[in-house]
């Protein structure tokens, strides 16, 4: 892992190793890992399995976009998945969203054709536009009772989507949410 450290805190900036399995630790060389840089693993064709042990609150924009990630274990206190964080990760098949999650930003999982099911945890109030667009093998989605708004084309082009539970709390479904 590459990182930048300042005093006692570190931010992961990327990965140059050859192992397909990586762990983002809570401490690195005596510094507490507090975050991951935007685009840190963008276009990385080495990583397959990622475990985030660090107590981070956000997966930043473009963090794993267009990488070969298959499975990721997210931190238990994660609140936000940024824009295009996992976009074009066509090999991504397993991700469990933690109960602490509050925000799924635009295009977060765009073109993740390997995903087959997703459970959105209670606490998420809005799924932004294009968040799961073109997840062509996604067939099952569980939406939480906290959900109030589905953004434009949030689940569009999910051609195999056959099972979705829509909660009573959902008050705004924007254009093409399931188109």
């Amino acid at each position: 892992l590459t990182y930048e450290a300042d005093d006692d805190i570190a931010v992961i900036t990327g990965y140059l190793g050859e192992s397909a399995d990586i762990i983002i630790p809570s401490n690195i060389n005596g510094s507490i890992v507090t975050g991951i840089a935007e685009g840190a693993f963008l276009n990385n064709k080495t990583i397959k399995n990622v475990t985030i042990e660090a107590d981070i609150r956000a997966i930043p924009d473009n963090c794993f976009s267009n990488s070969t990630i298959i499975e990721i274990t997210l931190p238990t206190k994660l609140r936000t998945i940024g824009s295009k964080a996992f976009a074009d990760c066509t090999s991504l098949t397993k991700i469990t969203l933690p109960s602490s999650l509050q925000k799924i930003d635009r295009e977060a999982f765009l073109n993740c054709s390997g995903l087959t099911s997703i459970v959105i945890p209670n606490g998420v109030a809005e799924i932004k536009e294009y968040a799961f667009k073109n997840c062509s093998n996604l067939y099952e989605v569980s939406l939480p009772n906290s959900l109030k708004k589905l953004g434009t084309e949030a689940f569009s082009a999910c051609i195999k989507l056959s099972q979705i539970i829509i909660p009573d709390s959902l008050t705004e479904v924007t254009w093409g949410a399931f188109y």
Side-chain angles (χ1 to χ4, degrees), residues 24-118:
I24 297 174
S26 54
N27 289 287
I28 193 163
N29 291 331
S31 297
I32 297 169
V33 176
T34 59
I36 302 172
E38 187 172 311
F41 302 95
L42 176 69
N43 299 321
N44 186 302
K45 302 303 182 193
T46 304
I47 60 172
K48 304 281 186 223
N49 302 296
V50 177
T51 300
I52 303 175
E53 293 177 348
D55 186 18
I56 63 167
R57 306 298 165 101
I59 301 293
D61 296 353
N62 297 301
C63 188
F64 293 96
S65 187
N66 197 37
S67 71
T68 51
I69 191 169
I70 294 171
E71 181 177 344
I72 185 163
T73 302
L74 297 171
T76 58
K77 294 182 181 178
L78 185 73
R79 291 190 179 137
T80 303
I81 295 177
S83 177
K84 296 184 180 181
F86 297 97
D88 300 310
C89 290
T90 57
S91 299
L92 181 64
T93 58
K94 187 172 182 190
I95 185 167
T96 301
L97 304 178
S99 60
S100 58
L101 191 66
Q102 297 172 352
K103 179 181 179 185
I104 299 174
D105 214 338
R106 62 179 290 127
E107 302 175 9
F109 295 94
L110 176 73
N111 298 324
C112 288
S113 56
L115 283 179
T116 57
S117 66
I118 193 84

